[in-house]
Amino acid sequence: MEKIAIIHYHEIALKGKNRDFFEFALIKNLKKSLTEKNYEKIERLYGRVVVFLKDGFAKDEVSERIKNVFGVANFSFGYFGSLNLKELADQIFDHLPNKNPVSFRVTAKRSDKSYPKNSQQISAELGSFLIEKFEKKTKVDLKNPELNCFVEILSKETIFYFHKQKAYGGLPVGTSGKVVSLLSSGFDSPVASWKMMRRGAKVVFVHFHSYPYTKKTSYENVKKITSELNKYQFESKVYFVPFSEIQKEISTKCDSSQRVILYRRFMMRIAEKIAQDERAKALVAGDSLAQVASQTLDNIFVISEAVKIPILRPLIGENKEDIIELSKKIGTYEFSSQPYEDCCSLFLPKFPETHANLAKIVEMEKKLDILSMVSGAINKMEIWEIKNSVNC
Ligand code: ATP
Ligand code: MG
């Protein structure tokens, strides 16, 4: 029998006519995530995707890589072949993870409705073959079995497996369009970006830095964070935008308490320009309501007003502990907890505004040449790209 990984998905199946589009995207992403040394081919078979694995495939690595492909609801390692039910029972018995379970059941499903037996009949028949093989030492328990033998009957072929592993679900990256995410070196924005990817968005990153006025640590951390996040989207691009000229201009001409709001408005304007070039339809930021001074509703209102493009804030209703918990799960915690000098720590006011006033900010911005400040930064930005890493 051939060794396989069988991939199940929920939401994709719900998408009606778009089903082909979603399944192709899922397969394309699985191919990008899995290295060729581990698999022969990946095929669509009756509402599931089957990865045919090579002999000696690296199970832990394959498992990790499949889990990171959004759209996968759960998956299992199992076996595939053309067998009748008696032969199938023999094969199941030969491949049991435990030869002496206290109890077992067979959970069969047929995808080919022209198959002469229904799911219950298949389960019952396989069950009785197996009882014989267990020499009646193992009893059937439909409710809470120690061993569950999952069987799927396709057209001529059958699949069986014993464990289901949960993945992240969501939608394949690339199926929901593109967004530009403002990525700092902190905890929140990497998690916000990951959540957008899980909903099928391709994420392009932009990071603002004040190098050489601050150390290069945020720059280096952002590269490491992006490499972690790249495990979920397989190709990533970061725009590194020098921000110190803008900060200097703002701090010499504007009221110090308003600096952070003004910085953020410029970040949004630059990110909007990048989004236009990238044909991205939204920006993403890691704000969570009232978490810090810049994230009060008044400030969010004034910051958002600087641009027309929608700003998505997937963490707006999350608590910090939950965000940190998730950053540990997705792999960005280690890099987000590194000390870094944020560009906003440069010229930081003692008493930042928590209730920004739009009219006041617009008045203050009249002292600034917004267009040339934005284009000055854009002309000096650098692009860094990364493709899927070979090792997990
Ligand atoms: P994070 O943990 O993402 O740094 P934070 O809680 O520190 O967020 P702020 O510093 O107020 O919050 O930043 C709010 C959002 O603005 C960030 O989540 C991020 O999307 C964006 N942002 C802040 N600083 C930068 C930066 N240097 N480059 C790119 N985006 C930034
Ligand atoms: Mg921050």
Side-chain angles (χ1 to χ4, degrees):
M1 297 202 81
E2 291 181 77
K3 286 183 184 159
I4 55 154
I6 175 161
I7 313 279
H8 293 110
Y9 34 94
H10 297 320
E11 290 199 49
I12 298 173
L14 298 177
K15 296 270 171 181
K17 281 191 200 142
N18 283 337
R19 186 175 179 138
D20 280 356
F21 169 66
F22 282 92
E23 285 178 340
F24 282 126
L26 182 68
I27 290 178
K28 203 165 123 204
N29 289 351
L30 281 164
K31 285 182 177 166
K32 285 184 190 166
S33 183
L34 292 168
T35 43
E36 281 183 11
K37 69 177 197 303
N38 283 316
Y39 78 94
E40 295 286 351
K41 59 180 179 177
I42 305 180
E43 281 184 359
R44 286 203 297 173
L45 291 170
Y46 292 90
R48 52 184 69 55
V49 166
V50 179
V51 181
F52 291 86
L53 296 159
K54 282 191 177 161
D55 278 344
F57 73 98
K59 195 169 180 183
D60 289 348
E61 184 190 322
V62 170
S63 179
E64 181 69 19
R65 285 175 183 260
I66 292 176
K67 197 180 101 200
N68 292 347
V69 177
F70 295 131
V72 178
N74 62 64
F75 63 99
S76 309
F77 289 106
Y79 299 87
F80 175 95
S82 299
L83 303 170
N84 63 34
L85 290 187
K86 173 77 186 73
E87 292 164 336
L88 184 58
D90 290 343
Q91 285 294 328
I92 291 175
F93 191 76
D94 286 349
H95 289 96
L96 286 177
N98 166 12
K99 293 267 187 263
N100 305 303
V102 177
S103 59
F104 83 104
R105 70 164 288 168
V106 176
T107 308
K109 219 162 96 180
R110 58 169 185 166
S111 301
D112 179 6
K113 299 296 175 208
S114 66
Y115 191 82
K117 292 175 179 136
N118 69 24
S119 304
Q120 246 179 348
Q121 290 165 327
I122 298 167
S123 299
E125 199 164 316
L126 284 171
S128 52
F129 282 135
L130 284 168
I131 286 179
E132 292 307 316
K133 294 190 92 53
F134 283 126
E135 293 168 351
K136 301 195 174 144
K137 286 183 198 135
T138 298
K139 63 176 182 359
V140 172
D141 180 349
L142 295 181
K143 282 221 176 91
N144 195 19
E146 184 182 331
L147 176 76
N148 200 337
C149 310
F150 295 96
V151 172
E152 299 188 14
I153 310 275
L154 308 181
S155 162
K156 288 186 220 78
E157 298 86 4
T158 52
I159 288 173
F160 69 87
Y161 51 91
F162 304 100
H163 298 290
K164 285 189 186 185
Q165 300 185 47
K166 223 171 138 41
Y168 295 112
L171 301 165
V173 168
T175 57
S176 305
K178 204 194 263 185
V179 295
V180 169
S181 179
L182 288 88
L183 185 69
S184 73
S185 173
F187 287 107
D188 304 332
S189 41
V191 174
S193 308
W194 182 88
K195 285 200 161 202
M196 293 307 300
M197 288 179 195
R198 194 175 58 175
R199 295 306 304 157
K202 170 92 195 186
V203 179
V204 171
F205 303 99
V206 51
H207 176 69
F208 298 91
H209 66 87
S210 306
Y211 181 75
Y213 297 92
T214 56
K215 287 195 203 125
K216 232 180 170 175
T217 41
S218 79
Y219 200 97
E220 296 305 330
N221 281 355
V222 163
K223 284 189 178 177
K224 289 180 192 150
I225 288 170
T226 310
S227 306
E228 280 305 307
L229 291 173
N230 193 52
K231 289 178 182 169
Y232 304 94
Q233 68 170 3
F234 326 114
E235 285 147 0
S236 303
K237 194 195 263 186
V238 188
Y239 287 84
F240 284 100
V241 184
F243 205 56
S244 50
E245 292 306 317
I246 290 179
Q247 289 174 291
K248 266 198 250 170
E249 191 69 6
I250 291 174
S251 42
T252 45
K253 297 197 173 145
C254 305
D255 186 356
S256 71
S257 67
Q258 307 299 312
R259 275 178 200 163
V260 175
I261 313 280
L262 292 161
Y263 293 168
R264 288 278 183 275
R265 281 169 63 90
F266 274 86
M267 286 185 183
M268 293 303 170
R269 289 183 177 115
I270 294 167
E272 185 179 45
K273 284 261 182 287
I274 294 172
Q276 278 160 2
D277 285 350
E278 286 282 344
R279 295 167 188 245
K281 296 286 160 45
L283 304 183
V284 177
D287 307 275
S288 100
L289 189 59
Q291 188 194 89
V292 291
S294 61
Q295 297 170 13
T296 62
L297 213 42
D298 284 332
N299 289 4
I300 287 175
F301 173 77
V302 173
I303 291 164
S304 307
E305 194 273 345
V307 289
K308 281 214 180 79
I309 190 168
I311 304 170
L312 308 178
R313 295 177 168 92
L315 305 182
I316 199 69
E318 302 280 349
N319 293 333
K320 192 79 182 183
E321 312 86 91
D322 297 334
I323 296 169
I324 290 185
E325 220 28 66
L326 192 49
S327 79
K328 286 181 185 164
K329 252 171 90 177
I330 67 176
T332 54
Y333 176 85
E334 185 189 340
F335 306 109
S336 294
S337 46
Q338 303 282 327
Y340 67 95
E341 277 185 295
D342 190 64
C343 68
C344 293
S345 57
L346 196 65
F347 316 118
L348 199 70
K350 261 208 179 110
F351 301 105
E353 178 65 74
T354 50
H355 297 288
N357 176 288
L358 184 57
K360 199 163 132 190
I361 289 284
V362 170
E363 197 52 39
M364 224 172 262
E365 283 183 343
K366 285 188 181 152
K367 295 183 213 155
L368 305 170
D369 185 347
I370 296 175
L371 286 181
S372 79
M373 284 162 75
V374 168
S375 61
I378 285 185
N379 289 338
K380 287 192 197 132
M381 72 191 176
E382 295 164 39
I383 297 176
W384 182 75
E385 286 181 88
I386 174 172
K387 288 225 164 152
N388 198 10
S389 56
V390 175
N391 296 307
C392 256

